[in-house]
Amino acid sequence: MKPNPSTSSDISFDDFQSQILKDYETAVTSRECSLLGRREVLTGKAKFGIFGDGKELPQLAMARSFQDGDFRSGYYRDQTFMMALGLFTPKQFFHGLYATTDIEKDPMSAGRQMGGHFTTHSLNEDGSWKDLTKQKNSSADISCTAGQMPRLVGLAQASKIYRNVPDIDANLFSKNGNEVAWGTIGNASTSEGHFFEAFNAAGVMQVPMVMCVWDDDYGISVPAEFHTTKGDISEVLNGFQRDEDNKGYEILKVQGWDYTALIHTFENASDIARENHVPVLIHVTELTQPQGHSTSGSHERYKSPERLEWEKENDCNKRFREWILKNKIATEEELKNLEKSIKQAVRTAKKEAWSEFLQPHLEAKKQLVQHLGAVADKSPNRTFINKLKNDLIAVEEPLKKDIASVSRKALRYVINENSSEKLGLIQWVNAYMGAEQPKYSSHLYNELGNKATLVKSVPPSFGEEQEMVDGRIILRDNFDAIFSKYPNTLIFGEDTGNIGDVNQGLEGLQKKYGEHRIADTGIRETTIIGQGIGMAMRGLRPIAEIQYLDYILYGLQTLSDDLASLLYRTVGKQKAPLIVRTRGHRLEGIWHSGSPMGGLIHLLRGMHILVPRNMTQAAGFYNTLLKSDEPALVIESLNGYRLKEPKPTNLGEFCTPIGKVETLREGTDITLLSYGSTLRIVQKVAEELLEVGIDAEVIDAQSLLPFDLEHDVLKSIQKTNRLLVIDEDVPGGCSAYLVQKIVEEQNAYRYLDSAPQTLSAKAHRPAYASDGDYFSKPNAEDIFEKVYSIIHEADPKSYPKLR
């Protein structure tokens, strides 16, 4: 479909001229930043640089069609777009390059991400939402190529939800679903599975998404023919083109140096997506990359002289300049004067940013030099301290690590001294580290008063005659209460909608709440997670269902690199309170019974990981999470849906606490810690141990991230003096993590009379069938014998060797 020029707004020639010259100013400014940015890296002032040179013109066109409320989900070439919207200045560009840890100076990430990663602020200081409909929005970038694609689907889907689901308070988030989600990606990265999965999902769902491919014929040093069939992504995707009989994509192709065609193409794409909720692909071809992929190397190494000459002649900024002159929009002299002033402005921005970056370092250096001098004057080790001081003085442009390192090393030379000067140095070091460390480590989790760990525990209540029901009924009826209470909640996944999930925990709810809120998806775990992230970033409360815990590995990259790090990498300026629901543990077979908890708790720092032992606990976790706004993974026990539980009378209200353990059985001889399905076996064994005179205390971890914030396990060990952690993860997995938390963080080693021990599954995947489960994961006899051996070691006379 050819772009329709009639979509352009009618404006006067003066306004038209002004717009074009403003665009040219932005393009040249962005290019000059790229050129100077590379020099700053090569001179050592910055660590690494990856820039948007060669992609300026299509980004200007995209910015023209980008409206308030729209969202971008892009990658590290989009600096011109951000500048065109007034969301990014040259000084901020250089602050990002230098990694300034000040959110005012580097609003993209306060130095946490390398330059080229863009975001806007969705949250007020108190963590509440800004009015996203009155600003232009960029979701926070990640480096992983195509990693922005799953999130893009959810950002677009939110508009569809807001347009089609009544009773949602959309005041801050949407105006009748008219917002478009804009994605950008390099042509080579369209080879990634994330791109294809997300592209297909958006076509199936028909969401207002514009997918922009910046095509410069290369992916790092590798030409397009090695990345893409036929070397042309829009040619490959032609089967997605919509027609009179089939829904699909509108596919547009435009040359990246053709200013007017770009403007019309992006306007056309915006209209199609915004009005009709039809996804659009814009394939922008014949772009260049004047400085190569990044500062890590030169493109002269892999491009032919002919290609380099072609790129020089077809540079989009050069072609834009020629077009301006040809159409008499400006004269040669006017453009030269403009370019000269731009270069001066960018150089000034660079100089000011570097000065602002260095100023606090120089002040800290000055203070430290004074402390070191004072300490040296009183110390017999003055020679060594003075050397540290003089070495620091010689560093004209110190980094924080230089200052921190010298100050801490100096303390080694005054260990056995006692002076006011030493005390002053210690206080200075503590204050400096206390002020600087949070600039690199804060906001992994919510730090405000509404965080999930502060949600008050509300126990389930029961009638006089307890109704015993399958666990799935408790989940189902609790979800029913949730969807009634919170209009902005929705759930989606494989088999989630029509049949009410594979275990019937959502039975009948699609009929009651509709297909938009209780939805089926295709088999595509990565974009299921991405749907949830994007919708959560736009004020909805999605629950993304991954059918089995083993399948979460498909979406693990998106969970780890995007969701878990979002609050951290935006320094608390964006959030995505997505709840991921799945089920696992103790079923039989390699692919449906995994418990990769060690991997998850390490890769998903930044999320809560909750492991309820039954469906009442699980329901309580969902209730708790919806009173807060943090991402979480809830793993229901797969073999518990048909087990009978008493049905609470306060469904939708009771709250399982996050970060607390629960003592299920008190004992005096040993503390047994476990969670999930294995816990039921542990409880049974605890009763059997009484037969041989061993009184075990049984504790349910419940919450792995965070774990036992009140140190209740320590209190148990103070009584029993022994610890065994039982876990169905691999050796050294989750059980090792729990022991580290207890022994190291809680200092339980002081109260242990025996070595803390773990009992895990075997190192291999669990084998199939009941016998496979018995010989692969901790069974009742394993647990009994392990506990007995610990007690035997302590008292071999009373407890002779078992076997």
Side-chain angles (χ1 to χ4, degrees):
M1 180 175 178
K2 294 182 178 179
N4 181 4
S6 65
T7 57
S8 298
S9 300
D10 293 328
I11 58 175
S12 69
F13 178 78
D14 287 345
D15 288 339
F16 177 65
Q17 181 185 45
S18 177
Q19 280 187 4
I20 291 171
L21 291 179
K22 180 63 178 174
D23 278 351
Y24 185 69
E25 179 182 359
T26 302
V28 174
T29 299
S30 178
R31 177 66 61 88
E32 191 64 21
C33 285
S34 296
L35 295 172
L36 284 185
R38 181 179 179 86
R39 293 177 198 168
E40 291 298 273
V41 174
L42 297 180
T43 59
K45 287 185 177 180
K47 200 73 176 176
F48 178 78
I50 193 161
F51 308 114
D53 49 300
K55 314 296 187 296
E56 290 90 351
L57 239 57
Q59 292 179 35
L60 292 169
M62 177 174 155
R64 285 277 196 94
S65 295
F66 198 90
Q67 299 183 13
D68 285 351
D70 286 1
F71 260 88
R72 166 192 168 274
S73 183
Y75 79 131
Y76 40 70
R77 302 288 184 202
D78 292 346
Q79 70 196 44
T80 309
F81 170 79
M82 296 295 287
M83 288 178 174
L85 293 181
L87 300 173
F88 192 50
T89 68
K91 186 186 286 191
Q92 291 168 346
F93 169 93
F94 288 105
H95 273 299
L97 197 64
Y98 303 142
T100 302
T101 55
D102 183 334
I103 196 67
E104 298 300 321
K105 292 181 172 61
D106 174 22
M108 300 300 113
S109 75
R112 293 189 177 182
Q113 295 211 88
M114 68 182 185
H117 292 76
F118 307 110
T119 188
T120 52
H121 297 180
S122 299
L123 306 178
N124 297 305
E125 290 300 316
D126 63 357
S128 61
W129 292 101
K130 292 177 178 287
D131 189 340
L132 303 185
T133 68
K134 293 181 178 178
Q135 65 180 43
K136 295 175 174 66
N137 304 284
S138 174
S139 60
D141 291 345
I142 57 177
S143 285
C144 321
T145 60
Q148 71 272 30
M149 292 297 98
R151 178 203 327 140
L152 174 65
V153 177
L155 291 169
Q157 187 183 2
S159 290
K160 186 169 185 175
I161 297 297
Y162 282 121
R163 181 173 288 187
N164 291 283
V165 178
D167 303 323
I168 298 178
D169 181 6
N171 185 46
L172 300 177
F173 308 107
S174 180
K175 294 190 181 300
N176 195 38
N178 292 332
E179 303 77 24
V180 171
W182 300 77
T184 66
I185 193 170
N187 58 298
S189 293
T190 62
S191 304
E192 295 276 14
H194 284 12
F195 173 83
F196 278 96
E197 186 177 315
F199 194 83
N200 179 62
V204 169
M205 293 191 292
Q206 291 290 284
V207 293
M209 179 179 102
V210 179
M211 180 70 256
C212 311
V213 179
W214 309 146
D215 190 346
D216 58 27
D217 275 337
Y218 282 83
I220 312 181
S221 66
V222 181
E225 63 199 77
F226 292 96
H227 290 285
T228 309
T229 302
K230 302 181 180 180
D232 188 321
I233 189 61
S234 57
E235 181 71 19
V236 170
L237 297 174
N238 266 338
F240 286 84
Q241 174 67 52
R242 62 178 179 152
D243 54 39
E244 292 182 359
D245 301 317
N246 297 286
K247 294 179 180 179
Y249 273 79
E250 192 60 54
I251 298 178
L252 308 175
K253 195 170 185 177
V254 61
Q255 292 162 318
W257 46 262
D258 190 335
Y259 180 72
T260 54
L262 285 163
I263 295 295
H264 294 322
T265 299
F266 276 84
E267 286 179 344
N268 193 29
S270 175
D271 291 343
I272 292 169
R274 199 176 306 279
E275 295 170 10
N276 303 317
H277 278 196
V278 170
V280 182
L281 170 70
I282 302 179
H283 182 193
V284 184
T285 64
E286 298 191 21
L287 289 169
T288 67
Q289 204 149 274
Q291 298 188 113
H293 175 263
S294 67
T295 56
S296 61
S298 171
H299 63 157
E300 283 85 357
R301 292 181 301 163
Y302 53 84
K303 290 179 181 174
S304 69
E306 293 78 15
R307 173 68 191 190
L308 291 169
E309 182 61 27
W310 182 91
E311 291 198 5
K312 182 179 178 181
E313 291 301 315
N314 289 281
D315 182 297
C316 64
N317 281 13
K318 178 178 180 292
R319 295 289 295 265
F320 189 24
R321 190 182 196 278
E322 292 169 350
W323 180 84
I324 290 172
L325 292 173
K326 180 180 178 181
N327 287 277
K328 301 187 185 322
I329 294 166
T331 67
E332 176 72 27
E333 183 179 1
E334 287 170 335
L335 291 185
K336 284 184 176 179
N337 289 335
L338 177 60
E339 291 157 1
K340 182 178 179 180
S341 66
I342 289 170
K343 289 184 178 182
Q344 181 59 48
V346 173
R347 283 195 294 268
T348 299
K350 174 183 74 72
K351 183 178 179 181
E352 290 177 352
W354 181 247
S355 176
E356 291 172 3
F357 170 74
L358 274 184
Q359 190 277 326
H361 304 186
L362 294 172
E363 178 59 32
K365 171 186 168 181
K366 179 181 176 182
Q367 294 173 7
L368 179 55
V369 166
Q370 291 174 345
H371 278 287
L372 292 175
V375 170
D377 287 344
K378 296 289 183 72
S379 174
N381 289 319
R382 61 178 59 87
T383 301
F384 301 104
I385 299 170
N386 278 328
K387 184 180 185 308
L388 287 174
K389 181 187 73 172
N390 292 332
D391 287 346
L392 180 60
I393 291 172
V395 180
E396 294 183 359
E397 297 176 333
L399 299 177
K400 291 178 183 178
K401 75 179 185 67
D402 300 321
I403 295 161
S405 177
V406 168
S407 66
R408 296 167 76 182
K409 284 181 178 178
L411 294 176
R412 303 174 190 175
Y413 296 111
V414 293
I415 291 174
N416 296 315
E417 298 178 21
N418 186 18
S419 67
S420 59
E421 289 79 8
K422 172 189 173 181
L423 179 60
L425 177 59
I426 291 173
Q427 291 173 340
W428 189 92
V429 172
N430 289 341
Y432 186 76
M433 296 300 295
E436 295 304 325
Q437 187 65 57
K439 295 176 183 176
Y440 300 90
S441 302
S442 70
H443 292 93
L444 182 58
Y445 292 93
N446 183 2
E447 298 179 353
L448 301 172
N450 64 337
K451 59 185 178 181
T453 53
L454 294 181
V455 174
K456 186 178 179 181
S457 174
V458 178
S461 59
F462 303 95
E464 291 186 9
E465 295 185 9
Q466 293 184 4
E467 180 185 3
M468 300 299 292
V469 298
D470 287 350
R472 73 170 188 90
I473 299 297
I474 295 171
L475 271 179
R476 181 198 67 187
D477 292 354
N478 193 77
F479 276 130
D480 190 4
I482 283 173
F483 294 127
S484 176
K485 182 178 181 179
Y486 300 104
N488 62 342
T489 54
L490 60 156
I491 191 168
F492 48 92
E494 299 158 14
D495 296 320
T496 297
N498 183 43
I499 70 168
D501 90 38
V502 291
N503 297 102
Q504 298 290 279
L506 298 165
E507 179 187 24
L509 297 186
Q510 186 182 77
K511 185 175 181 181
K512 183 173 182 178
Y513 294 102
E515 293 183 1
H516 289 291
R517 292 187 67 192
I518 318 294
D520 285 310
T521 70
I523 298 177
R524 42 177 175 77
E525 286 79 8
T526 299
T527 44
I528 289 172
I529 299 300
Q531 286 175 243
I533 295 172
M535 287 193 284
M537 294 183 80
R538 293 191 58 193
L540 296 169
R541 293 306 309 266
I543 302 172
E545 181 170 316
I546 302 298
Q547 193 163 89
Y548 297 108
L549 181 58
D550 300 78
Y551 298 167
I552 210 163
L553 299 182
Y554 282 95
L556 189 56
Q557 184 275 329
T558 301
L559 283 168
S560 180
D561 289 333
D562 200 351
L563 180 61
S565 72
L566 177 63
L567 194 72
Y568 171 78
R569 72 181 189 270
T570 64
V571 200
K573 299 304 181 183
Q574 288 190 353
K575 62 183 176 183
L578 167 64
I579 300 171
V580 181
R581 178 196 183 205
T582 189
R583 50 190 69 82
H585 312 315
R586 301 307 302 208
L587 195 63
E588 296 150 2
I590 289 175
W591 309 117
H592 290 78
S593 57
S595 298
M597 301 310 303
L600 295 178
I601 58 180
H602 296 309
L603 292 168
L604 300 183
R605 301 294 172 101
M607 294 179 65
H608 296 312
I609 297 185
L610 311 173
V611 283
R613 68 181 180 273
N614 58 38
M615 302 309 156
T616 301
Q617 268 194 317
F621 277 135
Y622 294 120
N623 297 337
T624 299
L625 290 167
L626 287 167
K627 288 187 176 182
S628 183
D629 57 0
E630 296 165 69
L633 170 64
V634 181
I635 304 167
E636 298 165 9
S637 293
L638 186 52
N639 57 7
Y641 293 106
R642 302 292 173 177
L643 297 180
K644 299 296 183 182
E645 299 180 37
K647 185 177 180 181
T649 57
N650 56 340
L651 292 165
E653 301 297 331
F654 64 90
C655 294
T656 308
I658 292 175
K660 281 183 64 68
V661 301
E662 182 178 355
T663 300
L664 302 180
R665 185 188 187 284
E666 293 191 358
T668 57
D669 296 329
I670 189 170
T671 299
L672 305 181
L673 175 69
S674 190
Y675 60 87
S677 297
T678 301
L679 192 69
R680 290 196 292 271
I681 304 174
V682 174
Q683 287 179 281
K684 179 176 180 293
V685 171
E687 300 303 320
E688 296 174 354
L689 287 166
L690 282 175
E691 298 173 5
V692 293
I694 299 173
D695 187 12
E697 184 145 302
V698 178
I699 298 178
D700 181 4
Q702 297 191 110
S703 170
L704 299 180
L705 285 179
F707 170 72
D708 192 14
L709 297 176
E710 298 181 5
H711 291 190
D712 288 327
V713 175
L714 173 64
K715 298 168 190 173
S716 173
I717 292 172
Q718 287 173 335
K719 175 175 56 174
T720 67
N721 308 115
R722 293 177 182 85
L723 171 67
L724 175 64
V725 178
I726 304 102
D727 175 43
E728 58 177 300
D729 194 4
V730 296
C734 186
S735 57
Y737 157 79
L738 292 171
V739 169
Q740 184 270 335
K741 284 286 186 179
I742 297 163
V743 174
E744 187 174 320
E745 284 194 18
Q746 299 186 13
N747 292 320
Y749 68 90
R750 295 180 296 177
Y751 304 99
L752 287 169
D753 292 337
S754 300
Q757 296 196 43
T758 64
L759 177 62
S760 67
K762 300 297 185 288
H764 54 75
R765 296 286 185 103
Y768 180 57
S770 296
D771 285 346
D773 176 73
Y774 184 88
F775 287 99
S776 301
K777 293 190 173 185
N779 57 58
E781 288 68 45
D782 291 335
I783 299 168
F784 186 99
E785 292 175 5
K786 187 72 169 180
V787 173
Y788 189 92
S789 69
I790 294 171
I791 302 300
H792 159 75
E793 182 185 43
D795 186 1
K797 184 176 180 181
S798 301
Y799 298 92
K801 190 173 182 179
L802 189 61
R803 69 180 176 96

